[in-house]
Amino acid sequence: MKTLSSIQRNPDGHWVGDGFPVRSVFSYQDDPLTFSPFLLLDHAGPTRFEPTTERRGVSQHPHRGFETVTLVYEGEVSHRDSSGGGGTIGPGGVQWMTAAAGIVHEEFHGEAFAREGGRFEMVQLWVNLPAADKMKPPAYQGISVGQTPTVNLLNPQGTVAGTARLIAGELLGQKGPARTFSPMQVWDLRLTAGQTVHLPAPEGHTTVPLVLHGRVRTDSGEEATDAEMMVFTREGDGVTLEAITDATVLWLSGEPIHEPVVGYGPFVMNTEAEIHLAFADFQSGRMGRL
């Protein structure tokens, strides 16, 4: 069994553009080896937006060397990028963008959501790419709720204790639709109050579930609540969680990438020279345009 090594939290928020009030739970600038293959996680909201005819969000900007994974819990997000990818997702939808060799994209609230207003909550995760894949062509995966299988999680007595919606990785014979460059699990968990579940996480993998709502307890008694991330040791092959209240948890586990991480803003590569080249390529238009 894996054991809890720390709880990661960040009470301080900032705005990304004018549409995403986020807390960066962790980033590659803090400790890239602890969270590898994950580079950054921004939790946006929950908050309420008033109706508007304006576009709220982030205008076009570049990325290179990694993937962005946007998961919507409430509201809508519209995406458009220089590879031709794009679309609008609502609750349960996922936008999995592979920046790789370079991409320019924009992210705004969906038009219907902006007109009506309402509650908004999303998570954006940055996933590192191995050095061998950082300069591959960019790509985009739009994943709808209907594409993600849901499996029942059982307690030790064999009764249903919650559900797991699989975005990437396998569980109980089902597989999430996301194509990844290294092994990982990205699951949307809904846990029932008073129930205990055991979740498999391979030996040696980083395992960092984020509690979005509710309160959960580890088998050794530590507790985590809203917007807190549990950081487990890589030793061991699973995690046991007890839901003290009904809880929504983003389960993240992945094989570490044991390579240098050198990043600056929207670019994450392996050397400073590669970062300088990324800026030059963006400024010359070699990452494409919208």
Side-chain angles (χ1 to χ4, degrees):
M1 292 286 293
K2 296 182 185 292
T3 58
L4 188 75
S5 61
S6 65
I7 293 180
Q8 184 85 2
R9 59 178 70 86
N10 180 9
D12 300 323
H14 64 278
W15 282 84
V16 176
D18 62 0
F20 307 114
V22 308
R23 286 176 286 185
S24 296
V25 179
F26 71 89
S27 81
Y28 65 84
Q29 295 170 332
D30 300 327
D31 186 0
L33 296 180
T34 292
F35 296 98
S36 179
F38 311 114
L39 292 168
L40 174 148
L41 188 143
D42 279 347
H43 178 208
T47 191
R48 178 171 291 276
F49 286 92
E50 295 301 317
T52 183
T53 56
E54 301 294 325
R55 298 183 80 198
R56 291 194 184 110
V58 185
S59 59
Q60 55 183 287
H61 57 282
H63 292 296
R64 171 178 279 181
F66 60 96
E67 304 182 286
T68 67
V69 181
T70 302
L71 306 95
V72 173
Y73 290 87
E74 294 186 277
E76 287 182 339
V77 174
S78 291
H79 164 97
R80 186 169 69 102
D81 68 53
S82 57
S83 77
T88 299
I89 58 171
V94 179
Q95 295 169 334
W96 196 298
M97 185 187 78
T98 304
I103 203 166
V104 176
H105 78 139
E106 63 180 22
E107 302 158 285
F108 289 94
H109 292 183
E111 289 186 12
F113 173 74
R115 285 195 308 268
E116 298 173 6
R119 283 176 56 85
F120 183 87
E121 183 177 15
M122 59 163 263
V123 166
Q124 186 167 97
L125 174 72
W126 291 12
V127 178
N128 201 11
L129 290 172
D133 299 313
K134 282 184 177 291
M135 293 301 289
K136 287 189 173 178
Y140 174 79
Q141 303 172 70
I143 301 171
S144 68
V145 176
Q147 294 175 281
T148 50
T150 298
V151 300
N152 288 331
L153 301 173
L154 305 182
N155 63 18
Q157 291 73 44
T159 57
V160 176
T163 60
R165 191 168 61 88
L166 310 183
I167 297 161
E170 299 183 28
L171 180 65
L172 300 175
Q174 298 290 320
K175 184 177 181 179
R179 302 181 301 275
T180 67
F181 286 80
S182 58
M184 68 187 64
Q185 302 165 339
V186 181
W187 304 336
D188 173 18
L189 306 183
R190 307 300 167 106
L191 307 180
T192 303
Q195 299 292 331
T196 298
V197 296
H198 178 77
L199 297 158
E203 171 78 29
H205 280 210
T206 299
T207 302
V208 287
L210 173 70
V211 180
L212 287 162
H213 304 289
R215 182 175 291 273
V216 301
R217 179 187 294 132
T218 70
D219 57 349
S220 54
E222 299 96 338
E223 296 183 7
T225 188
D226 297 3
E228 293 184 343
M229 173 172 279
M230 297 174 284
V231 181
F232 287 90
T233 60
R234 290 189 175 132
E235 297 76 24
D237 60 359
V239 168
T240 297
L241 297 177
E242 176 191 357
I244 302 171
T245 67
D246 287 351
T248 300
V249 178
L250 176 59
W251 177 266
L252 300 172
S253 185
E255 183 177 79
I257 298 172
H258 297 290
E259 297 172 352
V261 174
V262 179
Y264 191 93
F267 306 132
V268 182
M269 301 299 288
N270 301 110
T271 69
E272 288 190 12
E274 290 170 331
I275 296 295
H276 294 312
L277 179 60
F279 275 101
D281 286 347
F282 168 62
Q283 291 165 354
S284 67
R286 283 193 288 270
M287 292 185 185
R289 301 185 189 278
L290 291 178

